[in-house]
Amino acid sequence: MKTKLFFLASLFFLTATSFSMAQSRNFKFGVKGGANLSNLRGDDVFVTNDPSIRIGNTSTRLTGFVGGAFVRFGSTIFIQPELLLSQKGGMFNVFRDGATNEENKVDVRFTNIDVPVLIGFRVGDVLRINAGPIASLRMSENGGLRQALNEIGANSVQDNFNRAALGYQAGVGFDIGNLSLDLRYEGNFTNIVDVNTDNSTLNSQLRRKGNLWQATVSFAIF
C-alpha cells in the first residue's frame, strides 16, 4: 500500500508540474512503457560442503515490463527525470560437475521503483543522445534464489538482496511528433546480490551486479 501511495503521489506531482509549465515549448510531460532484457553477472561459486556443485552465470536474459512517467526540461540540451515501475533480474545456473542441467536454472526476478535522471542533447529534429544516473528501490522479489543460497550457507533471502542500488543509463531516442522510441543500456555501480556469511571468500564470489537493455515507447501529453 505504501508503495502504491508513493508511486501515485509522485505521478500526481509530475502531472501538476506539467500543467504549470505546459505553455513552455521547452517542457514535456508524458507516459512511457516497454520491456527490459536483464541479466546478473558475477563469479562462479563452488559449494563448500560439496565442491562438485556450482552456482554460475547464464547468458539467458529475462524479459520484464517497464513503465511510468517522464518530464523533459530543455530543447537542444535537456534534462529528463523519470519515475518507473521496472521488472528486472537474471538467471543463475546451479549444476553438478559432469551433469547437464537445463532444468536447474534459477530464475531471479525483482520489481523496482526506478528514478533515472538523464542529461542529453538533440542531433537534428529527431535524434536524442542521453545518459545519466539511476536510483533503484527494490519493492519485491520472487525468492527464486533461496534454495541455491541456502546450500552454500547464506542466512536468508532477506539478507541476500540490497534494497537500494545505484547505476547508470545511456542510450539514444527518436522523436516523431508526440511519440518517442528510446533504446538504452543500464548497468550498476552497486551490487544487487551481496550476502553476509562468515566466509569472506564466499561473500565475494556471490556478489552480483545487474545489467539490462531497455526499449520503450513514449507519448508526450504536453
Side-chain angles (χ1 to χ4, degrees):
M1 179 61 70
K2 289 182 179 180
T3 301
K4 291 180 180 178
L5 289 175
F6 171 77
F7 184 79
L8 290 174
S10 301
L11 187 58
F12 175 79
F13 173 77
L14 292 176
T15 305
T17 303
S18 71
F19 278 108
S20 68
M21 302 183 65
Q23 300 305 313
S24 173
R25 65 184 180 86
N26 292 329
F27 173 82
K28 283 189 176 182
F29 166 80
V31 294
K32 63 186 304 182
N36 293 328
L37 293 175
S38 60
N39 203 353
L40 293 169
R41 304 297 297 175
D43 297 330
D44 283 353
V45 178
F46 295 85
V47 179
T48 54
N49 60 0
D50 187 347
S52 69
I53 299 178
R54 303 185 189 185
I55 298 179
N57 300 313
T58 77
S59 59
T60 305
R61 288 187 175 271
L62 298 184
T63 302
F65 168 80
V66 60
F70 73 93
V71 291
R72 187 183 302 158
F73 304 95
S75 181
T76 303
I77 299 175
F78 62 87
I79 181 170
Q80 181 167 317
E82 301 177 352
L83 179 66
L84 306 173
L85 184 68
S86 183
Q87 298 172 334
K88 58 186 77 171
M91 220 37 120
F92 281 83
N93 197 15
V94 183
F95 63 97
R96 190 179 298 272
D97 285 350
T100 58
N101 72 321
E102 286 301 316
E103 70 281 4
N104 290 337
K105 288 185 169 67
V106 179
D107 185 329
V108 181
R109 294 181 184 269
F110 308 96
T111 299
N112 289 358
I113 295 292
D114 285 351
V115 183
V117 179
L118 304 179
I119 297 173
F121 62 92
R122 289 187 172 279
V123 180
D125 295 329
V126 175
L127 176 64
R128 284 179 287 108
I129 299 175
N130 38 235
I134 177 172
S136 297
L137 179 65
R138 176 179 54 82
M139 308 311 297
S140 65
E141 75 280 331
N142 67 349
L145 199 54
R146 181 190 299 273
Q147 181 177 353
L149 292 180
N150 285 341
E151 289 183 6
I152 53 177
N155 297 324
S156 70
V157 72
Q158 285 78 19
D159 297 328
N160 297 323
F161 300 98
N162 283 336
R163 186 164 180 80
L166 294 176
Y168 61 91
Q169 286 190 344
V172 296
F174 304 90
D175 297 331
I176 302 175
N178 287 340
L179 289 176
S180 300
L181 171 66
D182 279 88
L183 303 174
R184 297 178 189 171
Y185 177 82
E186 179 182 317
N188 285 121
F189 296 126
T190 54
N191 293 311
I192 303 300
V193 179
D194 194 356
V195 304
N196 182 20
T197 71
D198 58 3
N199 187 326
S200 59
T201 301
L202 185 61
N203 293 344
S204 177
Q205 288 179 324
L206 280 170
R207 289 172 184 154
R208 292 291 190 276
K209 287 184 168 68
N211 66 82
L212 61 82
W213 292 97
Q214 183 181 95
T216 58
V217 176
S218 307
F219 179 75
I221 299 173
F222 303 109

